[in-house]
Amino acid sequence: MSDETNPKSASSNFESAKAHAKDAVDATKAHLKDAVEDSREHFKSAAEDLRAAAEAKAREFRGTAEAKAKEFRGRAEQTYGETRERVRTFQEDGEAYVRENPTKAVLTAIAAGFFLGLMFRR
């Protein structure tokens, strides 16, 4: 009798093939589990690198924005100071003109008030 026709031998071969297939499935599962774990670690590392790069870029933008804000604040303070000086000079010149020419100043103020009254009355 040959091994192929022997029921015990066929059963033994089937059990051996079944055990071999189970071992192959277990090995594949273990390999996939390792691959998934490696991928998870890789993605985690990539996410941390991305977060660190984003934080660095945010710090850079914040520094640039603070420098620009300081620059604009300085310009605004300078412009405010210059404007205040011009207004003071204009006021002083106006007061000097009124002291030197009181009649002209009063007549000019009356004329300006009259024309403004006409304009706003309509």
Side-chain angles (χ1 to χ4, degrees):
M1 222 177 184
S2 72
D3 287 344
E4 294 172 0
T5 57
N6 185 349
K8 280 188 175 182
S9 178
S11 176
S12 174
N13 285 341
F14 177 74
E15 289 300 320
S16 174
K18 187 177 169 183
H20 184 60
K22 185 177 183 301
D23 289 344
V25 167
D26 290 342
T28 302
K29 282 182 182 178
H31 180 70
L32 286 174
K33 185 178 178 182
D34 290 344
V36 167
E37 188 62 34
D38 288 346
S39 294
R40 183 179 294 138
E41 291 299 319
H42 177 73
F43 286 134
K44 189 176 181 180
S45 175
E48 289 174 4
D49 291 347
L50 181 61
R51 182 185 53 78
E55 286 177 353
K57 196 53 105 166
R59 280 192 298 274
E60 179 184 332
F61 285 151
R62 187 179 307 124
T64 302
E66 287 174 353
K68 284 293 182 184
K70 187 181 276 189
E71 177 185 336
F72 291 146
R73 185 179 305 123
R75 285 185 189 174
E77 288 173 354
Q78 180 182 0
T79 302
Y80 174 75
E82 290 171 358
T83 303
R84 200 167 84 193
E85 183 63 32
R86 284 185 203 159
V87 168
R88 191 165 13 103
T89 302
F90 181 69
Q91 181 183 2
E92 289 170 356
D93 290 350
E95 289 173 358
Y97 178 79
V98 169
R99 284 191 184 107
E100 292 171 8
N101 304 301
T103 306
K104 273 186 179 179
V106 170
L107 291 176
T108 302
I110 290 172
F114 177 75
F115 286 117
L116 287 173
L118 287 176
M119 286 176 29
F120 288 118
R121 185 170 46 165
R122 291 185 182 174

